[in-house]
Amino acid sequence: MGRLPTPPSRLGLVVVQPLRGKRCARCRRGPLSLLVLEDGVPRCLVCADLGHLVFLPRGDTALTRRSREESTLSAVVVRFNRRKSRYERQGLLVEEAALARAEARCLADAEARRRRRARDARRRAAQDVRFAQAFTVEILRLFPRCPRDRAADIAAHASLRGSGRVGRSAAGRALSESAVAWAVRASVRHLDTPYDRLLMDGVVRPEARRHTAAQVESVLASWREPGPPAD
């Protein structure tokens, strides 16, 4: 079997995942899944006094960093990539107790993040309620005869977070008259005219809009009239 390339010294204490089966030059145990190169020959972890360490695969940056901080002894695990002609990190060997402490720290952080997400969600929900209420008020200002429940439904639909609807646009968040009127017009088109049925029947959208335009304007005109909201 050929000699293994020498891992770079800048990595510190290094353990190799061999590409081919190797045996320990001292105890002859093998084939080895992990080995240490000493004087160019392979040693098993037991003979290299690293047998008490446990393997932590790469992938979790926080856990890797904390395991290294908690472990008095640690080693970088690498494997040679023939195509790139270089060693690449595969993980870390650390003390088992150190890994347990690191996992506990990460779990504590995860709980803190969960609580923060819950607080943020409650804050966003309160903001959304206030915004929908303001949107409703603006609808009723522009369309005084719009039923109050209908105005609330239009506001909730248009301002749904993450929907991409007009209420979440810059104009919608600013409660511009054009954005509010657009949301009301869209609701009337879908709920108070045969627009949706025309689409289902294969009528193209511009033609369906043209066909229902007079009905939409009639409803909007009745809602614009002064007076209390309709029942």
Side-chain angles (χ1 to χ4, degrees):
M1 297 182 185
R3 293 175 61 88
L4 284 169
T6 303
S9 58
R10 60 179 173 77
L11 296 178
L13 187 57
V14 173
V15 171
V16 177
Q17 283 185 347
L19 300 178
R20 295 180 179 178
K22 297 284 184 178
R23 291 187 176 276
C24 177
R26 181 176 181 182
C27 69
R28 306 307 301 167
R29 182 183 292 118
L32 302 176
S33 59
L34 294 173
L35 59 87
V36 175
L37 285 175
E38 292 183 350
D39 299 324
V41 296
R43 306 279 189 186
C44 68
L45 296 189
V46 173
C47 291
D49 294 330
L50 301 178
H52 62 296
L53 302 182
V54 294
F55 179 58
L56 173 62
R58 66 179 181 179
D60 190 325
T61 304
L63 182 59
T64 297
R65 185 186 72 252
R66 287 173 171 173
S67 295
R68 174 170 268 169
E69 291 171 354
E70 293 284 350
S71 190
T72 303
L73 180 64
S74 64
V76 177
V77 178
V78 298
R79 183 169 59 206
F80 191 71
N81 186 321
R82 286 199 181 98
R83 184 172 61 84
K84 297 180 180 179
S85 297
R86 70 184 186 195
Y87 276 100
E88 296 178 338
R89 291 174 182 255
Q90 303 301 309
L92 199 65
L93 286 178
V94 294
E95 297 162 347
E96 188 170 4
L99 177 57
R101 290 192 296 270
E103 288 173 336
R105 289 172 61 185
C106 289
L107 286 174
D109 277 359
E111 175 63 17
R113 288 193 297 271
R114 185 193 66 78
R115 292 178 180 177
R116 183 167 60 249
R117 286 195 298 269
R119 289 195 301 271
D120 290 344
R122 290 193 295 269
R123 175 179 53 79
R124 288 193 297 270
Q127 291 173 342
D128 290 348
V129 168
R130 290 194 295 271
F131 178 66
Q133 290 171 342
F135 207 98
T136 302
V137 169
E138 188 63 11
I139 290 174
L140 293 175
R141 185 184 72 81
L142 297 175
F143 301 92
R145 297 286 292 171
C146 175
R148 193 177 298 275
D149 288 348
R150 181 69 177 277
D153 288 344
I154 294 171
H157 179 81
S159 61
L160 182 64
R161 185 182 292 270
S163 65
R165 295 170 186 151
V166 65
R168 303 312 303 186
S169 66
R173 291 194 299 272
L175 296 178
S176 74
E177 289 190 7
S178 61
V180 174
W182 193 96
V184 175
R185 183 181 299 276
S187 176
V188 171
R189 182 183 297 118
H190 287 290
L191 299 183
D192 299 289
T193 78
Y195 177 76
D196 288 357
R197 189 174 68 250
L198 291 172
L199 295 181
M200 290 297 294
D201 289 342
V203 178
V204 295
R205 187 168 60 87
E207 179 62 21
R209 287 199 173 199
R210 187 195 64 77
H211 186 81
T212 57
Q215 291 173 273
V216 171
E217 292 306 322
S218 176
V219 174
L220 294 180
S222 69
W223 284 1
R224 287 192 182 98
E225 294 177 1
D231 291 335

